[in-house]
């Protein structure tokens, strides 16, 4: 590589998604990952993590703190000193050390003060390849969605078992069935199946609560009302599931049926448009146009609350529930590529009345898409 400008070194200090992607294993405590301009990778971790990562970490050299102290030759075990030590292992130290945009500002200041040539990466994705999932990653995402499907089926089972009281309340084992009970049952099953995180959810929003897309839901569920169930657990493999189903216990009104079928048809339309080369912005616009022509416009009411379809059609899913980088199906231009994974989740929401959202997670393939979600959505009325 003589005579050529070397790329910058790369540096992480975290235990989040970028670390998992770079190292291949999750850890409990933030730690240092470093890649030299020639591509040699290092991880420096405390002894609590070392035994777990030994033999598993996808790095060229794994260093525990004790070994790092020897390399520092008496210098304090600080991030700037560790980075300088790793830089010194190359015959030609890098001109620049690049960090992600979410790098801790305090640590950035420490590196800068220690005259480490640090700079913040320009792109949202520190690893651009994260936008395109590998075969191994798709397998993990399928597993996450399969777990998620079982979790949502548990919620549907509770609603199936529930009885309708004279006043319209749902009763389960003789007691009022609440959003909190359903959420607890879902999370209990998710934990039994190995989920490691629930993202504060799931959402179980009945009636008017469903008109606010991220309302977690609370209180007693009632018959003849739309119930939005949005579940998003993280699998033990590190990848997230994301799926929404809207159901109703009892008898829907004509308006509720029209609302549900419009959203279902909008999702079907979006799915048919998915393939490499298509702009996700056009898919989103097609969904907006369809729902408006179906008689469900989008706007803001007299109280300043939005109604209709007022969010994106889809977002990336992977090691983060909302993967950074390309905004797959939204008002922002994004050319779809094989390997991208996106949610497809049109919805309609009306303050005081409720809402409908239907969400699957799909992978873009060379000739179209593959739905990673295997969960019924046409049988939405529960007797």
């Amino acid at each position: 590589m003589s005579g050529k400008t070397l790329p910058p070194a790369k540096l992480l200090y975290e235990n989040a998604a970028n670390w998992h992607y770079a190292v291949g294993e999750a850890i409990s405590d933030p730690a240092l990952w470093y890649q030299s301009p020639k591509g040699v990778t290092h991880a420096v971790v405390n002894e609590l993590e070392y035994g777990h990562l030994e033999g598993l970490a996808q790095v060229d050299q794994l260093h525990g703190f004790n070994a790092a102290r020897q390399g520092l030759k008496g210098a304090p075990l600080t991030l700037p000193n560790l980075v300088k030590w790793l830089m010194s292992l190359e015959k030609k130290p890098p001109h620049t050390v690049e960090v992600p945009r979410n790098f801790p500002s305090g640590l950035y200041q420490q590196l800068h003060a220690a005259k480490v040539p640090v700079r913040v990466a320009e792109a949202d994705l520190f690893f651009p390849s994260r936008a395109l999932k590998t075969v191994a990653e798709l397998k993990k995402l399928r597993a996450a969605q399969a777990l998620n499907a079982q979790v949502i089926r548990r919620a549907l089972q509770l609603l199936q078992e529930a009885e309708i009281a004279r006043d319209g309340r749902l009763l389960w084992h003789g007691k009022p069935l609440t959003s909190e009970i359903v959420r607890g049952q879902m999370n209990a099953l998710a934990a039994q199946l190995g989920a490691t995180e629930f993202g504060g959810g799931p959402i179980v929003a009945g009636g008017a609560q469903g008109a606010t897309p991220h309302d977690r839901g609370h209180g007693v569920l009632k018959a003849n009302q739309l119930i939005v169930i949005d579940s998003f657990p993280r699998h033990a493999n590190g990848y997230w599931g994301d799926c929404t189903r809207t159901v109703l216990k009892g008898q829907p009104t004509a308006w509720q049926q029209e609302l549900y079928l419009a959203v279902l048809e909008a999702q079907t339309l979006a799915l048919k448009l998915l393939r490499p080369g298509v702009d996700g912005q056009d898919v989103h616009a097609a969904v907006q146009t369809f729902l408006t022509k179906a008689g469900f416009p989008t706007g803001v009411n007299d109280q300043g609350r939005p109604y209709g379809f007022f969010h994106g059609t889809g977002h990336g899913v992977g090691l983060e529930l909302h993967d950074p980088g390309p905004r797959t199906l939204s008002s922002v231009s994004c050319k779809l590529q094989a390997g991208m994974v996106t949610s497809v989740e049109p919805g309609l929401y009306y303050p005081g009345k409720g809402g409908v959202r239907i969400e699957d997670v799909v992978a873009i393939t060379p000739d179209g898409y593959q739905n990673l979600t295997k969960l019924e959505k046409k049988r939405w009325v529960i007797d």
Side-chain angles (χ1 to χ4, degrees):
M1 301 184 74
S2 178
K4 295 182 179 180
T5 302
L6 291 173
K10 287 182 172 288
L11 173 68
L12 297 172
Y13 187 81
E14 61 166 76
N15 58 342
N18 278 327
W19 168 279
H20 195 146
Y21 186 79
V23 178
E25 285 290 322
I27 56 172
S28 299
D29 299 325
L32 184 156
W33 174 89
Y34 176 86
Q35 183 181 58
S36 77
K38 292 185 178 180
V40 180
T41 55
H42 303 258
V44 184
V45 300
N46 63 38
E47 265 57 44
L48 296 173
E49 305 285 6
Y50 188 89
H52 164 63
L53 291 177
E54 192 174 20
L56 295 176
Q58 299 170 3
V59 292
D60 296 310
Q61 296 185 40
L62 178 66
H63 312 274
F65 277 1
N66 289 333
R69 287 189 179 93
Q70 295 179 14
L72 293 176
K73 298 178 180 178
L77 190 71
T78 65
L79 181 63
N81 285 341
L82 286 171
V83 174
K84 286 183 175 181
W85 167 56
L86 293 172
M87 291 170 63
S88 73
L89 299 180
E90 295 286 323
K91 291 182 179 180
K92 187 177 180 181
H95 294 293
T96 307
V97 178
E98 193 172 71
V99 297
R101 297 180 71 175
N102 63 347
F103 194 80
S105 59
L107 295 180
Y108 180 90
Q109 291 174 339
Q110 290 180 30
L111 292 169
H112 190 266
K115 301 191 182 306
V116 174
V118 63
R119 79 176 185 199
V120 177
E122 294 182 3
D124 288 335
L125 277 178
F126 192 59
F127 299 111
S129 55
R130 272 186 62 188
L132 304 178
K133 272 50 177 183
T134 64
V135 171
E137 287 182 291
L138 290 175
K139 183 178 180 180
K140 292 178 179 179
L141 281 160
R142 286 192 196 92
Q145 269 306 68
L147 181 153
N148 201 15
Q150 293 186 66
V151 170
I152 294 181
R153 287 192 188 102
R154 177 57 179 153
L156 302 181
Q157 180 184 8
L158 264 64
L159 292 171
Q160 184 71 57
E161 295 172 353
E163 298 178 350
I164 301 175
R166 290 183 179 180
D167 60 2
R169 294 180 303 161
L170 298 186
L171 304 178
W172 187 58
H173 296 313
K175 296 182 179 180
L177 180 62
T178 64
S179 295
E180 291 84 354
I181 289 174
V182 177
R183 184 159 43 248
Q185 290 283 318
M186 293 172 72
N187 281 340
L189 177 59
Q192 291 172 20
L193 296 173
T196 58
E197 194 172 339
F198 314 108
I203 291 170
V204 184
Q209 296 171 18
T212 302
H214 282 178
D215 189 328
R216 294 307 197 250
H218 61 276
V220 180
L221 296 169
K222 296 180 180 180
N224 310 321
Q225 291 187 342
L226 295 164
I227 303 172
V228 178
I229 302 174
D230 187 349
S231 180
F232 32 91
R234 183 170 67 175
H235 194 280
N237 63 30
Y239 287 75
W240 290 81
D242 199 3
C243 181
T244 307
R245 293 292 183 263
T246 302
V247 296
L248 181 145
K249 173 81 172 183
Q251 296 297 320
T253 65
W255 180 81
Q256 289 169 333
Q257 290 187 17
E258 291 172 5
L259 194 71
Y260 188 89
L261 292 176
V263 173
L264 182 59
E265 288 182 41
Q267 192 201 44
T268 300
L269 169 65
L271 290 170
K272 288 181 178 178
L273 295 174
L274 299 181
R275 63 181 183 276
V278 168
D279 195 324
Q281 184 180 50
D282 295 336
V283 177
H284 178 64
V287 170
Q288 289 179 310
T289 299
F290 172 83
L291 290 173
T292 299
K293 289 184 176 179
F296 297 101
T298 296
V300 179
N301 67 15
D302 294 340
Q303 288 75 46
R305 290 194 62 186
Y307 63 82
F309 178 44
F310 49 82
H311 58 69
T313 300
H315 59 82
V317 183
L319 282 168
E320 294 180 68
L321 179 57
H322 292 80
D323 252 7
R327 292 181 59 187
T328 51
L329 307 175
S330 73
S331 59
V332 178
S333 179
C334 171
K335 289 296 179 68
L336 300 179
Q337 301 177 57
M340 285 184 173
V341 170
T342 181
S343 68
V344 184
E345 51 177 314
L348 287 170
Y349 313 91
Y350 292 91
K353 300 177 72 175
V356 171
R357 183 167 64 258
I358 303 172
E359 176 187 22
D360 292 343
V361 170
V362 309
I364 306 301
T365 63
D367 56 357
Y369 75 94
Q370 182 180 64
N371 200 326
L372 307 182
T373 311
K374 310 299 181 186
L375 188 64
E376 176 63 48
K377 51 193 166 188
K378 291 186 178 180
R379 294 182 179 178
W380 61 283
V381 177
I382 301 174
D383 296 330

